[in-house]
């Protein structure tokens, strides 16, 4: 019987950093939910029912992240159902990954003006919130990687071409190539905005586009295209590179597409305060980003489940070749348990 491994110093330290970075944000949300106007120049904003609902939602999201960070340091965390860990981490790292990359560069490009956006929220609130997101993102992602290395070591020790029996490979191919096509369109539109184009942007958004905003559009476009390419590489399973490399790219890119697309759809559907203007094209871009990210995540879930089903293969055995529905040859295993 295998003993559940203890969390190492690195995993515990990363989780502590993540939790410490979450506390100011959670405190601010509690204050706002209890009627405090701290950091707000217009107290009536906190009385808006939609704003209250958004605060409940974002508080809940960060509370889930805090519980997971605790789980990464405890033995009970290793016994959590895989989906209960992977699903919220997939969405969370997709959202936080963009912030971790773009916010520091935005500060270099624009300085303190990056957070002086006007409106009823004080600039220091944005400094505190985004600073916390950066610490939370780095700590949470580092803790998760170390946790996953202990719980699913095969992900880090096998190659992308490692053979496994797949009953859904034709389905995965269709989803992967279709996702790449849509992701390329999404990426192309975002790249055009990043390099000064304004087709489809609301006039006020085009006029207010800063160098930091353009960089964020470019990063989101790059993540979308990279996720599509990485997912195709994972499904084809014919590369000798470590399996975790394309998996990380597909994970972050698809999580970004789904997470930011879902967030934008919630903002649009609720007409939440502090939201910017939108056009049909921007709404469609976010909608298709959300749906494409969801399709990528579903495809990845099938792939990971099938790979994890192969517990052991005798080194001396050779894989049998079997043709799939596309006429390609794929390995079919016997002797695994």
């Amino acid at each position: 019987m295998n003993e559940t491994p203890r969390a190492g110093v690195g995993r515990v330290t990363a989780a502590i950093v993540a939790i410490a970075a979450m506390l100011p944000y959670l405190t601010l949300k509690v204050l706002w939910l209890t009627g405090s106007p701290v950091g707000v120049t217009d107290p009536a904003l906190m009385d808006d029912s939609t704003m209250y609902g958004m605060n409940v939602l974002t508080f809940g999201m960060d509370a889930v992240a805090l519980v997971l960070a605790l789980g990464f340091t405890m033995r009970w965390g290793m016994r959590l159902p895989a989906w209960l860990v992977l699903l919220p981490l997939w969405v969370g790292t997709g959202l936080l990954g963009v912030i971790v990359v773009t916010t520091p560069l935005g500060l270099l490009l624009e300085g303190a003006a990056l957070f002086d956006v006007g409106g009823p929220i004080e600039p220091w609130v944005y400094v505190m919130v985004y600073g916390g997101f950066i610490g939370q993102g780095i700590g949470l992602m580092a803790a998760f990687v170390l946790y996953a290395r202990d719980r699913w070591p095969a992900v880090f020790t096998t190659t992308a071409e490692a053979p496994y029996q797949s009953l859904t490979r034709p389905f995965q191919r269709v989803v992967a190539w279709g996702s790449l096509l849509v992701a390329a369109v999404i990426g192309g539109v975002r790249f055009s905005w990043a390099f000064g184009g304004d087709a489809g942007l609301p006039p006020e958004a085009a006029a207010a586009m800063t160098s930091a905003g353009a960089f964020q559009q470019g990063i989101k476009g790059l993540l979308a295209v990279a996720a599509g390419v990485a997912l195709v590489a994972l499904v084809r399973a014919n590369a000798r590179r470590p399996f975790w490399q394309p998996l990380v790219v597909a994970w972050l890119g698809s999580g970004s597409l789904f997470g930011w697309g879902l967030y934008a759809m919630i903002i649009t559907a609720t007409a939440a305060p502090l939201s910017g203007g939108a056009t049909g094209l921007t709404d469609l871009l976010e909608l298709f980003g959300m749906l494409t990210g969801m399709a990528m995540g579903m495809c990845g879930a099938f792939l990971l489940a099938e790979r994890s089903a192969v517990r052991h293969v005798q080194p001396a055995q050779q894989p049998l070749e079997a043709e799939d529905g596309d006429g390609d040859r794929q390995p079919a295993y016997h002797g695994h348990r």
Side-chain angles (χ1 to χ4, degrees):
M1 182 176 181
N2 294 329
E3 183 180 353
T4 303
R6 289 180 177 272
V9 174
R11 193 178 353 147
V12 173
T13 302
I16 290 174
V17 169
I19 292 171
M22 295 175 197
L23 294 179
Y25 183 79
L26 289 170
T27 301
L28 181 66
K29 291 295 178 176
V30 170
L31 290 173
W32 283 354
L33 288 171
T34 54
S36 173
V38 61
V40 180
T41 59
D42 181 11
L45 178 67
M46 293 299 118
D47 295 329
D48 183 272
S49 59
T50 303
M51 189 68 181
Y52 188 87
M54 292 298 297
N55 282 329
V56 170
L57 173 65
T58 49
F59 175 84
M61 291 170 62
D62 228 40
V64 169
L66 188 146
V67 172
L68 286 175
L70 284 173
F72 293 156
T73 69
M74 306 290 184
R75 286 187 172 180
W76 58 261
M78 301 294 286
R79 297 190 296 271
L80 289 172
W83 69 268
L84 197 58
V85 176
L86 298 179
L87 180 58
L89 258 296
W90 174 60
V91 178
T93 53
L95 290 168
L96 292 171
V98 173
I99 294 174
V100 168
V101 172
T102 60
T103 302
L105 186 60
L107 278 171
L108 289 176
L109 293 173
E110 299 183 20
L114 178 69
F115 299 113
D116 189 11
V117 298
I121 304 296
E122 296 281 3
W124 68 262
V125 173
Y126 291 108
V127 174
M128 184 192 74
V129 168
Y130 280 89
F133 282 162
I134 292 172
Q136 176 181 339
I138 293 173
L140 201 59
M141 286 187 277
F144 174 57
V145 168
L146 296 173
Y147 168 91
R149 189 183 64 180
D150 288 339
R151 181 167 179 178
W152 301 291
V155 171
F156 299 87
T157 58
T158 57
T159 62
E161 67 174 356
Y164 63 96
Q165 188 175 26
S166 174
L167 301 178
T168 64
R169 184 67 60 82
F171 163 79
Q172 293 176 26
R173 285 198 180 98
V174 171
V175 173
W177 283 105
S179 297
L180 175 58
L181 178 62
V182 180
V185 174
I186 293 172
V189 174
R190 293 203 181 277
F191 287 146
S192 72
W193 292 345
F195 289 100
D198 58 3
L201 278 175
E204 61 274 18
M209 180 69 73
T210 62
S211 53
F215 178 69
Q216 185 179 87
Q217 292 293 341
I219 289 296
K220 286 184 175 180
L222 180 62
L223 281 172
V225 176
V229 173
L231 184 61
V232 169
L234 287 170
V235 170
R236 293 182 65 188
N238 60 359
R240 294 185 178 181
R241 66 173 60 89
F243 175 68
W244 66 266
Q245 292 180 353
L247 178 64
V248 167
V249 177
W251 173 283
L252 289 175
S254 61
S256 173
L257 278 168
F258 178 78
W260 287 101
L262 177 62
Y263 178 76
M265 289 297 97
I266 292 173
I267 293 294
T268 299
T270 59
L274 308 181
S275 62
T279 66
L281 179 59
T282 55
D283 282 343
L284 280 175
L285 194 73
E286 299 293 0
L287 174 61
F288 276 92
M290 180 187 70
L291 295 175
T292 304
M294 182 170 62
M296 287 179 172
M298 181 173 60
C299 181
F302 276 102
L303 188 148
L304 288 173
E306 289 177 341
R307 282 182 66 102
S308 67
V310 182
R311 300 298 183 186
H312 176 72
V313 178
Q314 296 294 336
Q317 288 183 318
Q318 295 296 324
L320 302 177
E321 295 292 329
E323 289 191 358
D324 62 16
D326 295 331
D328 296 331
R329 302 188 71 80
Q330 64 171 329
Y333 264 103
H334 300 290
H336 60 272
R337 58 181 176 86

